[in-house]
Amino acid sequence: MAFSDKNIISQFVEEEILQAFDILFAEDGTLPATNVIESVAKTLCAALPAETFSSVIESTEVLAEKKLTLSFNNNLKLLVEKTWVEPADATVKEQVLYRLEKLCTKLEERDYNGCYIDFISVLTDVVYLMFGSQAKKEDFPEYALRIDPEFGIFWWYVQSLPQKVIWPAEKNRLVMLLGMYFLANY
């Protein structure tokens, strides 16, 4: 379901943002130097409604991150609760709400490796609840870009994340905070 053709995403995202994603998603698991991270974060924030994201990742205080986690939790919970689903998906909806609470508890405990897979899974299930079976189709990423470019960029971002933990905790923190920031401000 990931974007297989960079020509599609490049219609919506500038080249410097694509390059920033390439740096962030480096397969070797290394976290770039702090000044590179800040540069990448600022570049990515230009693509998302996230003008103050850099203040969250730069903050040494846990408070900024806790506020983001709370906002993410509240917004995603409200989104799931307000989403109408087919009766067959009512159980999925309840499970997502339960898993979201567990995820946010792990995030508050700063267990970034322990919640990385849950993070991707919850986001994927929320998008499924929002769009139904359309979200599982191969052309959904392009569809998402065309109906709402900001959401499409976010979905491209989520689909670009590795489906298993391959990075150190600090890099997992960064990629999850970026995804949370987008949703908390969407």
Side-chain angles (χ1 to χ4, degrees):
M1 263 204 284
F3 288 86
S4 57
D5 185 358
K6 278 212 173 187
N7 289 330
I8 295 171
I9 193 66
S10 67
Q11 294 174 23
F12 297 89
V13 178
E14 296 174 10
E15 182 61 31
E16 66 181 8
I17 293 170
L18 291 173
Q19 290 172 356
F21 274 115
D22 288 342
I23 292 168
L24 186 62
F25 294 143
E27 290 292 328
D28 63 3
T30 60
L31 194 61
T34 303
N35 63 336
V36 175
I37 291 174
E38 290 173 12
S39 175
V40 166
K42 288 174 185 172
T43 301
L44 296 178
C45 290
L48 304 174
E51 292 93 22
T52 60
F53 176 71
S54 58
S55 67
V56 173
I57 62 166
E58 292 169 2
S59 176
T60 56
E61 297 178 25
V62 179
L63 183 58
E65 200 168 311
K66 276 190 171 192
K67 286 173 67 176
L68 177 59
T69 301
L70 179 62
S71 180
F72 167 75
N73 187 12
N74 290 340
N75 288 357
L76 212 53
K77 184 176 175 182
L78 183 62
L79 178 65
V80 171
E81 288 173 345
K82 299 294 181 190
T83 300
W84 182 87
V85 296
E86 295 287 340
D89 288 329
T91 302
V92 174
K93 186 175 181 175
E94 291 304 314
Q95 289 173 346
V96 167
L97 290 170
Y98 174 75
R99 289 175 27 233
L100 175 61
E101 290 301 318
K102 287 179 65 174
L103 169 64
C104 289
T105 298
K106 283 183 180 180
L107 285 167
E108 287 179 8
E109 294 169 355
R110 302 172 68 89
D111 180 12
Y112 303 113
N113 287 346
C115 66
Y116 176 85
I117 293 170
D118 294 334
F119 178 76
I120 294 172
S121 177
V122 165
L123 292 179
T124 300
D125 287 348
V126 168
V127 171
Y128 168 76
L129 290 173
M130 291 170 60
F131 291 94
S133 61
Q134 176 71 31
K136 296 191 180 223
K137 292 184 178 176
E138 194 171 312
D139 67 344
F140 180 71
E142 183 176 353
Y143 171 79
L145 273 170
R146 299 207 185 278
I147 62 166
D148 184 344
E150 286 182 354
F151 174 77
I153 292 167
F154 166 74
W155 188 240
W156 168 63
Y157 175 77
V158 171
Q159 291 294 291
S160 298
L161 294 172
Q163 298 298 305
K164 59 184 180 180
V165 178
I166 62 170
W167 294 324
E170 184 59 25
K171 189 165 184 177
N172 288 334
R173 172 185 174 260
L174 178 65
V175 298
M176 287 188 288
L177 289 176
L178 189 58
M180 289 168 48
Y181 197 91
F182 174 81
L183 285 174
N185 292 284
Y186 187 66

